[in-house]
Amino acid sequence: MSEETKVQESETISQEAMDNFVSLKKGDTVKGTIVKIEDNQAFVSLGYKYDGVIPLRELSSVQLDSAADAVQVGQEIELKVVSIDDEKERLVLSKRAIDSENAWDELQRLFDERETFEVTVADVVKGGLVADVGVRGFIPASMVERHFVEDFSDYKGRKLRVKVKEIDRENNKVILSQKEVLDEEFEQNKQQIMSSLQVGQEIDGTVQRLTPFGAFVDIGGIDGLVHVSELSWQHVAHPRDVVSEGQSVRVKVLKVDPAAGKISLSIKAAQPGPWELANGKFNTGDIVTGTVRRIVSFGVFVEIAPGVEGLVHISQLAHRHVATPYEVVKEGQEVKAKVLDFNPSEKRVSLSIKETEEAPEQAPRSERPSRSREPKVELNNPNVSLSNESMSFTLGERFGDKLSKLK
């Protein structure tokens, strides 16, 4: 092949290559391939006479730390031409502009159909989280979780399942919510669990939180309330005296109300009762030590075991006559008592305090002092004298005095 022929072929190839170069103008939409990535920009080959560049700010609608967070080498993407400077061989492209144009219709569809989709948290800002959904999507702090979150610093990079809560294209505003997704799942799970619960059923749970009126226990994703009166067989002043958050407990289902979404539970009902524990522990004739818990007009109730109270009838408080139990005992006092009758099946104990004490000794009848007999007084004889030691007077005189006063 002659040298002239080679030159002609070279010119033909160059012309074909030039013809294949795309003709671009500002605002055009083009497709290209990422060929190089730097920290603050990415380079794109799109068939133009030189490569285009995507600045960091044009890669995403949210703030990025690096271009590698948005694209990778070899990735083919659609871009919009932002500016062209052939003299400086600078072609500026935008991925963000195309993403934004394509995003609004899809976001509107997701909003209309209440569809759940996944996003990645791009940034943590004051008041919530930011995610790139083609446009800047904002998740308020109150819409992230079902529970309060104090610190969101470790949420960056997390994947969340969200729904579009609010969309305003004119103001470029998109509000997302993960809480709505979690609430729906919670309600579905709650109804499923409640439908499977049976009154009287015993299950394991975990104490979630304490209030003055009881403890909320997680029984598989939903909470049931253990009222303070159902925490223990003994009196409980505050739930924290019996249980703590995070503690595993056994509970019995007392009531299920699907309409109200409430579950009533009992810890004490899942444990042996005090009378069950006391069965066989006490026998008639035993001397026991207990604490006076209540005083009533007819006697006192003495606790002889946790949750087991026996009655000491007022007649069994002392060997002497007792007008009121307060003469003998007071609330909180520790006393000894004798078991007169123990009936755990009827939850009844009869006790006696006086049976633990010795009865006062009585002198023999022969040693008792004799009563001196006074002479019999005949009231119809006004002149009969009555003597009392050295003092004497006549009934006639006394009656005479009274009669004179009446006159």
Side-chain angles (χ1 to χ4, degrees):
M1 182 183 295
S2 66
E3 190 67 30
E4 184 178 352
T5 303
K6 289 181 179 181
V7 171
Q8 289 176 347
E9 287 182 356
S10 176
E11 290 177 351
T12 301
I13 293 171
S14 298
Q15 185 61 46
E16 289 177 353
M18 289 298 294
D19 291 341
N20 288 333
F21 282 146
V22 294
S23 176
L24 300 178
K25 62 181 182 297
K26 182 179 179 180
D28 283 352
T29 298
V30 295
K31 285 186 178 181
T33 303
I34 304 296
V35 293
K36 182 182 178 183
I37 296 176
E38 294 181 351
D39 287 342
N40 60 351
Q41 58 189 353
F43 293 90
V44 184
S45 173
L46 39 75
Y48 197 58
K49 49 191 172 182
Y50 50 85
D51 290 341
V53 62
I54 312 172
L56 190 63
R57 67 178 182 277
E58 294 296 338
L59 278 167
S60 174
S61 59
V62 299
Q63 184 177 344
L64 300 176
D65 294 329
S66 170
D69 294 336
V71 292
Q72 54 187 351
V73 174
Q75 181 181 351
E76 186 176 82
I77 55 176
E78 194 172 34
L79 305 159
K80 184 176 283 286
V81 177
V82 176
S83 64
I84 304 174
D85 189 340
D86 287 331
E87 290 184 4
K88 295 182 180 181
E89 294 189 348
R90 181 168 177 79
L91 171 62
V92 179
L93 305 168
S94 174
K95 176 179 179 292
R96 176 174 63 88
I98 294 296
D99 290 344
S100 179
E101 288 178 3
N102 296 335
W104 286 108
D105 289 343
E106 177 62 11
L107 288 169
Q108 187 64 53
R109 183 190 70 80
L110 293 169
F111 176 75
D112 293 339
E113 298 179 6
R114 311 303 305 142
E115 188 174 320
T116 300
F117 59 102
E118 191 175 82
V119 298
T120 301
V121 177
D123 201 6
V124 178
V125 297
K126 183 179 180 180
L129 310 174
V130 173
D132 184 0
V133 288
V135 294
R136 183 180 184 272
F138 181 61
I139 311 172
S142 61
M143 297 185 187
V144 178
E145 302 287 357
R146 297 189 69 245
H147 58 272
F148 174 73
V149 179
E150 186 174 354
D151 183 11
F152 287 99
S153 58
D154 63 343
Y155 272 68
K156 187 173 182 178
R158 281 197 195 183
K159 293 187 182 298
L160 305 179
R161 292 174 301 115
V162 299
K163 286 190 176 186
V164 179
K165 188 74 174 177
E166 184 180 341
I167 183 170
D168 186 347
R169 187 166 186 170
E170 290 183 4
N171 294 307
N172 199 39
K173 180 182 179 182
V174 176
I175 303 297
L176 307 173
S177 173
Q178 178 181 242
K179 182 177 180 295
E180 186 171 330
V181 176
L182 299 177
D183 283 344
E184 289 180 359
E185 292 178 347
F186 173 79
E187 286 302 321
Q188 292 174 359
N189 183 52
K190 183 177 181 178
Q191 292 303 318
Q192 184 176 359
I193 293 176
M194 292 186 77
S195 63
S196 67
L197 291 176
Q198 300 291 329
V199 173
Q201 178 182 355
E202 291 189 12
I203 49 179
D204 294 318
T206 304
V207 178
Q208 290 294 100
R209 58 191 176 94
L210 304 178
T211 68
F213 55 83
F216 286 93
V217 176
D218 182 349
I219 52 173
I222 63 174
D223 291 347
L225 173 65
V226 180
H227 191 266
V228 64
S229 63
E230 293 295 333
L231 286 169
S232 173
W233 288 103
Q234 294 177 273
H235 173 72
V236 177
H238 193 283
R240 64 171 172 266
D241 299 334
V242 181
V243 293
S244 57
E245 292 183 1
Q247 180 180 342
S248 296
V249 292
R250 186 77 172 172
V251 294
K252 177 175 279 191
V253 179
L254 299 182
K255 184 180 179 181
V256 180
D257 187 347
K262 294 181 179 180
I263 303 170
S264 298
L265 305 171
S266 174
I267 291 177
K268 77 176 187 181
Q271 301 171 342
W275 290 93
E276 294 176 79
L277 294 174
N279 192 13
K281 187 176 179 181
F282 302 101
N283 298 293
T284 300
D286 287 350
I287 304 298
V288 296
T289 300
T291 304
V292 177
R293 293 301 183 195
R294 292 179 292 146
I295 299 178
V296 293
S297 61
F298 54 85
V300 300
F301 288 92
V302 177
E303 185 178 50
I304 60 174
V308 178
E309 291 183 0
L311 173 65
V312 181
H313 191 267
I314 191 170
S315 63
Q316 293 296 325
L317 285 172
H319 289 283
R320 61 181 175 83
H321 172 71
V322 177
T324 171
Y326 289 99
E327 296 177 11
V328 183
V329 294
K330 60 182 178 180
E331 288 187 6
Q333 180 181 342
E334 188 175 277
V335 296
K336 286 186 179 298
K338 184 176 182 178
V339 179
L340 301 180
D341 181 49
F342 182 70
N343 192 334
S345 61
E346 295 184 9
K347 299 180 180 179
R348 188 180 65 206
V349 182
S350 296
L351 303 171
S352 173
I353 291 177
K354 78 176 185 180
E355 289 293 321
T356 65
E357 301 171 347
E358 291 185 7
E361 293 185 3
Q362 293 184 350
R365 185 175 294 273
S366 59
E367 298 179 7
R368 296 178 189 174
S370 58
R371 296 180 182 178
S372 60
R373 294 188 177 184
E374 299 290 341
K376 187 176 180 181
V377 178
E378 295 182 8
L379 296 180
N380 58 353
N381 185 356
N383 294 314
V384 175
S385 298
L386 295 175
S387 63
N388 182 12
E389 297 178 356
S390 61
M391 184 179 68
S392 66
F393 59 87
T394 66
L395 289 175
E397 291 174 347
R398 187 158 188 175
F399 291 154
D401 292 340
K402 290 196 178 282
L403 290 172
S404 64
K405 288 180 181 179
L406 288 173
K407 290 179 181 179

